[in-house]
């Protein structure tokens, strides 16, 4: 049984369906990015060098998104300048070097390594992880 449908109705239904799909995919990607950023923060916090523990507790996730560009930054709010020195090591004042304590880059590489594949999967599944 065929139904007659007006072309304008068809166009509006297709437009609505595409918009719904786009919204679902956008929400799915945003949610996944938030989860990955939080996992990176947690791992950086647990693997950070702990002398007093204050440095490790300073890691935060900041949302620096602009328009449609989603950008999450994991950083140390209280000791931001110290991250580079600990991550890569540094020269001592009297000569020699202080050894590196890699903690932020390994956390990023561990959790964000498959991010592109995860996003492709979210797009393929219409926003469902």
């Amino acid at each position: 049984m065929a139904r007659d449908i007006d072309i304008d109705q068809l166009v509006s239904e297709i437009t609505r369906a595409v918009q719904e799909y786009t919204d679902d995919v956008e929400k799915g990607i945003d949610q996944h990015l938030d989860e990955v950023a939080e996992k990176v923060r947690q791992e950086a916090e647990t693997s950070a060098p702990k002398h007093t523990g204050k440095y490790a507790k300073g890691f935060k996730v900041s949302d620096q998104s602009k328009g449609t560009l989603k950008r999450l930054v994991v950083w140390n709010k209280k000791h931001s300048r110290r991250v580079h020195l600990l991550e890569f090591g540094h020269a001592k004042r009297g000569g020699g070097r202080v050894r590196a304590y890699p903690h932020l880059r390994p956390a990023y590489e561990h959790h964000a390594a498959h991010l592109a594949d995860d996003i492709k999967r979210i797009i393929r599944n219409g926003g469902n992880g």
Side-chain angles (χ1 to χ4, degrees):
M1 297 192 170
R3 266 183 50 199
D4 289 338
I5 186 167
D6 185 26
I7 192 72
D8 292 333
Q9 288 176 321
L10 180 62
V11 169
S12 66
E13 279 301 309
I14 291 173
T15 304
R16 186 191 59 76
V18 169
Q19 185 62 46
E20 185 177 309
Y21 169 82
T22 304
D23 292 344
D24 290 346
V25 167
E26 186 177 343
K27 287 177 189 174
I29 291 173
D30 284 350
Q31 181 181 1
H32 185 70
L33 290 176
D34 291 339
E35 291 169 4
V36 169
E38 185 57 30
K39 287 178 184 177
V40 169
R41 186 202 62 78
Q42 288 173 352
E43 187 172 322
E45 186 175 293
T46 58
S47 63
K50 293 173 183 61
H51 181 56
T52 63
K54 291 180 181 178
Y55 171 75
K57 292 178 185 176
F59 283 99
K60 306 291 180 209
V61 177
S62 294
D63 187 354
Q64 296 182 354
S65 302
K66 291 183 180 178
T68 58
L69 177 68
K70 177 85 171 180
R71 182 177 177 170
L72 299 172
V73 177
V74 178
W75 65 296
N76 195 304
K77 187 173 183 178
K78 295 180 181 179
H79 306 281
S80 60
R81 294 178 182 167
R82 197 173 297 173
V83 175
H84 180 80
L85 298 174
L86 289 170
E87 188 78 19
F88 301 107
H90 57 90
K92 290 183 178 179
R93 192 171 15 190
R97 290 200 55 86
V98 173
R99 82 176 190 95
Y101 295 92
H103 53 286
L104 188 56
R105 174 60 66 178
Y108 171 79
E109 290 173 352
H110 179 249
H111 292 288
H114 304 287
L115 199 54
D117 294 332
D118 293 344
I119 290 173
K120 288 177 187 175
R121 182 179 35 79
I122 290 169
I123 292 169
R124 251 191 324 268
N125 295 334
N128 301 322

